[in-house]
Amino acid sequence: MAAPPPPPPDPQFVLRGTQSAVHALHFCGGAQGQGCPLLLSGSQRGLVHIWSLQTRRAVAILDGHRGQCVTWLQTLPQGHQLLSQGRDLKLCLWDLAEGRNTVVDSVHLESVGFCRGSILAGGQQHWTLAVPGRGSDEVQILEMPSKTSVCTLKPEADAKPGMPMCLELWQANSSSRPLLLAGYEDGSVALWDVSERKVCSRVACHTEPVTGLDFDSQKARGVSGSAEKALAVWSLDEQQALQVCGTHKLTNPGISDIKIRPDHKILATAGWDHRVRVFHWRTMKPLAVLAFHSASVHCVAFAADGLLAAGSKDQRISVWSLYPRT
Amino acid sequence: MAVFDTPEEAFGVLRPICVQLTKTQTVETVEQLQAQLQAVSDSALQQLQQYILFPLRFALKTPGPKRERLIQSVVECLTFVLSSTCVKEQELLQELFSELSACLYSPNSQKPATVSEELKLAVIQGLSTLMHSAYGDIIVTFYEPSMLPRLGFAVSLLLGLAEQEKSKQIKIAALKCLQVLLLQCECDDHPRSLDELEQKQLGDLFAAFLPGISTALTRVITGDFKQGHTIVVCSLKIFYRTVGFIMADEQLRSISTVQEKPAVEHRVAKLMVHREADWVKNTGDKLTILLKKIIEGVSVHPHWKVRLELVELVEALLLKCTQSLVESAGPLLQALVGLLNDESPDIQARCHKVLRHFADQKVVVGNRAFADILAEHLHSLATSLPRLMNSQDDQGKFSTLSLLLGYLKLLGPKVSFVLNSVAHLQRLSKALIQVLELDVADIKIVEERRWNSDHLSTSPKTSASRPWSQFQRRYFRFFTDERVFLLLCQVCQLLGFYGNLYLLVDHFLELYHESVVYRKQAAMVLNELVVGAAGLEVENLHEKHIKTSPEELSKIVTSILEEYTSQENWHLVTCVEAEEMGEELTMQQSGLQAITSGSSTCQVTSFPAFSKPSPTICSMNSNIWQICIQLEGIGHFAHALGADFRLLLTSALYPVLEKAGDQTLLISQAATSAMMDICLACGYDSLQHLINQNSDYLVNGISLNLRHLSLHPHTPKVLEVMLQNSDASLLPLVADVVQDVLATLDQFYDKRAASFVGVLHALLAALAQWFPDTGDLGQPQAQSVGEKGSHLSPRPAALEKGLEKSTTAEDIEQFLLNYLKEKDVADGNVSGFDNEEEEQSDPPTVDENDTVPDVEPPRPVQIQIAADVMERCIHLLSDKNLKIRLKVLRTLGGKCGDFLRSRFCKDVLPKLAGSLVTQATVSARAGPVYSHTLAFKLQLAVLQGLGPLCEELDLGEGDLNKVADACLIYLSAKQPVKLQEAARRVFFHLMKVDPDSTWFLLNELYCPEQLTPPHPSLHPVQLRGAVGQQNPYIANVLLLLQELQ
């Protein structure tokens, strides 16, 4: 008789107090010993909460999006700078060093859509930012911090992929050419060569708009989710052609966000069915269904040390410690 | 006042007597002489010294049998002269010394002559005075080798007296005299200190006496305790001063290997000792034997001054004779260490001073030999510790542990090296674990219950600086003396302070895991280790020692805390929870909870794998203690970490608060005191403050535990306590967690409703308190209710009251009314046409009143919560369990009186009253076992619930009378005490509602005083309960009437 699988775990702890739905999560610090680890959360009401994972309390609240939903949060690798994207059509750059929390710069956005931005930052001063562009199907590439527009990626006229829904800038180890993965409204995922401004490859993964994607540049494999009942795993060959490797059925439809853990071992999805699902990244074997939230889960995030956070419409952020690395 | 100042005058007076004395030696003459001498000035006496001494010495020297009385008076007279004059001639000194010594010498035997005690005393005093009167340098020349035989004679004489005499006075005098003779006198008459050469010569001389002195004194010192402490103290002093002088490293260093030829005759030369290496070695060995004897005898001497002198001995010898007495170092250190924890604070202080002195001088740490000796002793003590702990009595254990403590103190930082040896650590820990075993057979521990579930009101200010000093009395199997326990704590603290904390914590955590038998003891040790590591209770003798850093300590504490609060160590079976333990829970418990029955005093019962386990009293006691110890530990940890403990509150506060609400008195006490420790450490003013400031952590725990309610059945209770200690600022948090609570309640209506009702009650009470006024938010609703009420019901009184009440309550009442009536309608239970029509028009009224048209108007959060709660309460009203129903009634009763009042009076009250009346006859006749029956518990529950209900529902007179009549019977002394108490409570509540009728009713039962009318024209009132009449109600009625006044 096979032993029954162990019961799904409980969250390690739950953060309360955003007082509105949580739409964006991002971990920073901790692993490299940059002081105590923090979790950043963006809420429907436009506030960014900075949580100390040590005290499990908000240490600061940033108000920079005039009450409009914060959809994307990202810190820059150099230091204490935070990017926040809000539905007030503004992307704010915050200085968080030494307890400051002031907006030092902002970028005006042209698209009202749900598409989150993406950055590509090496160790240098300069970094590249991808955001949805003026035209409904365009992606704009900016050189930061100078905010100079590098180019606009517009699909060919006959492609009609719809709006970009999610972006992922990356760079292959072998080359210095920035590449962009974009999930589109028509369910397709496209690989753009940013410097040549052309689509290298495009593959239809879903029948519904792509709502989230993440890419593992080591394995040259990515995963995407959409409003439908399946995840798509696709890969990139040497000729930079995208191929769908397989799809994985879900119990309930609707994925809001999808993230691969930094160690490329597992991935987590944020489900409209209030649940977070965890898969083995290599085999795509379902590992756990994390049931805690009482409304749809909007976003998931992994910390460098493997901690998982999920933000939900029920205004809570659950933090989980799964398969901790020893 | 001297009358004769000049020698001439004095001579004139004294001459006749001296002449007469020379001729006829009688006591009278001597006394006459002495009387005359009183009148002579000192200077004159000095001039005439030889002249006066002559007849006296003559009297002593006269051959033939002498009368003792005469000799005594002669000696006394002689002493008098010597005390007022100086002896300036070497010869005179020597002669007088011999003559006086000879007085006690019986030529026939070696022993002192059998003379009267008075004479002995006189001679001893004479000798002492003589030595004092020796002038200047002649005292040094007195101690020349040629004097050796005569000195030796005197010394042995005095030793003999000190040892063999019965009279305490003589013994002391002999010892004092010996001190003088050995130049150890403490009086001020010896201004000149000896130079190095003189010291050496004296040392050479005295060395000859060392064997005699040391053995004789050892016999005195180790003699009967009854001989009095002064003698022992004095002997000890002479012993160590003599040994310290003769064996001083400083002197011995300069001794050449070849003996100088002394300029004395051969006979004397043979007696002289040459202190070369061999002699030192031999003497050292012999002294070690004597010292061991002395230490053995004196360290347990009942008088503290004796033990104090032993400390002096150790200090003197260890400082002066480190090399010559190296063999004795072990026993000497042991003696010192053993006295470190003496019961006398003076000795403790002195020991610490000595140790500090040693540490400063690097006597131990700087001296490898000493450190090795200590380590070796610690090793052997650790080896024998388990056996000693088993076999010794409390006093023995106390001194053994004192010794252990002392070694640890002396070794200081070297402790961690010693404990790096696995064998050492294991032996030591085994002994600690063994001796700390608790006696868990006491039934009271399980039985004692926390009855009142009142608010946590204690503030930490009431407790002392070391908050856990009044810890709960524990009973240990192997000792009863509280001091032994304190010593054990100190030992553990010291280990934590000096030892390698990681290693120790690891080791004891391992033991903690290893067996239930060790668990409690290991936890006690761990608690103290942490306190010690923080350096809080430890006096550091070694200044350079670096203690554990706060970061490390914090890490270690976190891991221990995790262990303590883990499911299998925290949720133990402590009582047979008849009510709360559902079947499914019990099944899980058999697997999950450690039902401990390992204690060897108890019978170990083994359960068949799948049968329902029935924990024994012992195992439950053991569990209770384990939880208490762990709670105490958490308090200790907070104390040790101070404000750093705040970070651990995320994981520690919830479990502690959970235990604060435990039914078992001991656990609840321990948890409360742990919380106070936390308050003190983290800087919270009160428990309320602590809870309020950390509600987010609690909510986190509550919400997560509600997911596994069967494992955490007490979760609702924690929320209850949290709600009682929170304020309106926490509404968002509360709203959040209430959703979880209600969702969980919906799953568990059948099994755990009772515990939830408490929460709901607390919640509503809190909401009503937080949002008391009718302003702001609630305004529109209040109006709507008001309008509605006016055409809904013909009850103006209720309406008025409703308007006065808070919005929340009003709204709830309305909601409830609507809901119930709708439910009635839905059930087809249509009571009247009029009502029904208005019912249906109600809900729209509410909607119309809302102002914002397009968005669904959100109700204020608190009202939404209340409404949600009410919905559940209604469901629970029909619960099968009477206790739950009563609780629900109370919950509702507080907030929506009118409706409930009518329902209550019509349906509930008659049944309750009826059952009370019928049961009363049973309980009045019942024996002590009755209090364990279900019937009793029901009676108690009803009585406890009735009072508050009467008050909250504001019952009318008729119903109040029903209640009073039903409860009256329970005021009888024949009823069980608990029921009487509960009945009295009912009457307290009745008094608040209607004092007059209650007074009348009580006086009808028993009237303590004759009522006199205020005016003679009025008839005297005669109540039924006449004065003096014996009836079983008197006691309770008197109590209640007292309250009424």
Side-chain angles (χ1 to χ4, degrees), chain B residues 1-4 14 31-42 45 80:
Chain B
M1 187 64 206
V3 183
F4 308 106
L14 294 172
E31 274 167 358
Q32 252 178 334
L33 173 62
Q34 192 164 354
Q36 295 283 2
L37 287 176
Q38 309 274 356
V40 178
S41 74
D42 284 358
L45 203 54
F80 177 79

Side-chain angles (χ1 to χ4, degrees), chain A residues 10 14 16 55 57 291 316, chain B residues 694 696-697 700 707-708 736:
Chain A
D10 279 332
V14 178
R16 293 173 168 79
T55 62
R57 286 179 178 155
R316 302 178 186 179
Chain B
N694 295 289
D696 50 346
Y697 296 159
N700 191 50
R707 287 157 59 85
H708 309 285
D736 187 303

Side-chain angles (χ1 to χ4, degrees), chain B residues 852-871:
Chain B
V852 191
D854 54 343
V855 188
E856 189 186 325
R859 295 199 216 191
V861 179
Q862 69 271 26
I863 291 175
Q864 181 61 48
I865 296 174
D868 287 347
V869 169
M870 284 305 162
E871 212 168 315

Side-chain angles (χ1 to χ4, degrees), chain A residues 64-65 76 81-84 90-95 102-108 127 143-148:
Chain A
H65 292 282
L76 296 181
Q81 284 193 306
L82 167 71
L83 275 173
S84 70
K90 221 166 72 172
L91 195 124
C92 297
L93 181 64
W94 302 81
D95 178 14
T102 46
V103 178
V104 288
D105 203 351
S106 67
V107 177
H108 180 72
W127 41 284
E143 168 83 27
M144 295 296 279
S146 61
K147 297 198 278 184
T148 38

Side-chain angles (χ1 to χ4, degrees), chain B residues 348-603:
Chain B
Q348 284 186 17
R350 185 77 190 103
C351 281
H352 276 106
K353 220 173 137 197
V354 171
L355 278 181
R356 249 184 208 293
H357 191 185
F358 284 0
D360 289 345
Q361 305 272 311
K362 305 236 182 309
V363 171
V364 176
V365 181
N367 187 329
R368 279 217 44 183
F370 270 30
D372 287 349
I373 288 169
L374 274 176
E376 201 178 296
H377 277 251
L378 183 63
H379 181 197
S380 61
L381 185 60
T383 312
S384 55
L385 205 51
R387 180 177 52 79
L388 291 175
M389 290 298 105
N390 235 345
S391 56
Q392 282 177 323
D393 60 358
D394 273 12
Q395 187 56 45
K397 284 187 184 111
F398 182 78
S399 36
T400 308
L401 289 170
S402 297
L403 193 60
L404 176 64
L405 189 61
Y407 283 144
L408 294 175
K409 277 188 181 168
L410 260 184
L411 275 172
K414 293 198 181 238
V415 166
S416 90
F417 293 108
V418 177
L419 292 183
N420 272 342
S421 143
V422 183
H424 278 70
L425 182 57
Q426 263 172 357
R427 281 188 186 128
L428 193 59
S429 63
K430 201 176 154 199
L432 287 174
I433 295 274
Q434 182 186 325
V435 75
L436 277 170
E437 185 173 335
L438 286 169
D439 185 356
V440 290
D442 190 357
I443 188 159
K444 268 202 212 125
I445 297 166
V446 177
E447 219 184 36
E448 272 184 302
R449 298 268 140 203
R450 203 176 58 109
W451 281 107
N452 59 329
S453 52
D454 285 348
H455 291 206
L456 303 155
S457 55
T458 16
S459 83
K461 274 167 202 149
T462 52
S463 57
S465 63
R466 189 188 154 148
W468 61 82
S469 50
Q470 346 78 326
F471 43 69
Q472 299 155 332
R473 184 88 175 84
R474 290 187 193 145
Y475 297 92
F476 294 92
R477 268 191 74 198
F478 291 109
F479 62 91
T480 50
D481 194 337
E482 190 74 24
R483 294 180 309 153
V484 175
F485 178 62
L486 291 177
L487 262 185
L488 285 164
C489 289
Q490 283 179 302
V491 166
C492 298
Q493 286 166 6
L494 219 55
L495 286 175
F497 186 71
Y498 288 122
N500 176 346
L501 195 61
Y502 282 108
L503 179 81
L504 289 167
V505 166
D506 263 6
H507 180 80
F508 282 99
L509 270 182
E510 218 166 83
L511 287 172
Y512 180 92
H513 285 299
E514 196 173 311
S515 159
V516 191
V517 185
Y518 298 153
R519 196 157 294 157
K520 292 182 292 299
Q521 299 95 300
M524 277 190 256
V525 175
L526 283 168
N527 295 350
E528 299 301 331
L529 282 178
V530 169
V531 172
L536 291 171
E537 308 285 321
V538 181
E539 191 210 9
N540 188 7
L541 289 171
H542 306 266
E543 261 133 41
K544 279 190 194 139
H545 176 64
I546 304 155
K547 57 179 194 182
T548 322
S549 76
E551 292 78 31
E552 282 177 313
L553 193 60
S554 183
K555 258 189 230 161
I556 289 169
V557 165
T558 310
S559 66
I560 304 178
L561 201 61
E562 227 167 68
E563 205 56 60
Y564 280 2
T565 55
S566 69
Q567 178 73 31
E568 70 271 19
N569 295 324
W570 196 252
H571 298 281
L572 305 168
V573 180
T574 55
C575 61
V576 185
E577 288 169 283
E579 182 208 336
E580 297 186 30
M581 216 192 274
E583 191 63 30
E584 37 89 41
L585 178 63
T586 339
M587 285 309 288
Q588 282 182 346
Q589 271 172 343
S590 67
L592 271 169
Q593 304 198 334
I595 294 153
T596 60
S597 50
S599 167
S600 45
T601 45
C602 307
Q603 288 247 310

Side-chain angles (χ1 to χ4, degrees), chain A residues 170-185:
Chain A
W170 62 285
Q171 209 165 16
N173 283 338
S174 48
S175 81
S176 61
R177 298 160 75 95
L179 299 165
L180 174 75
L181 278 163
Y184 286 95
E185 204 180 354

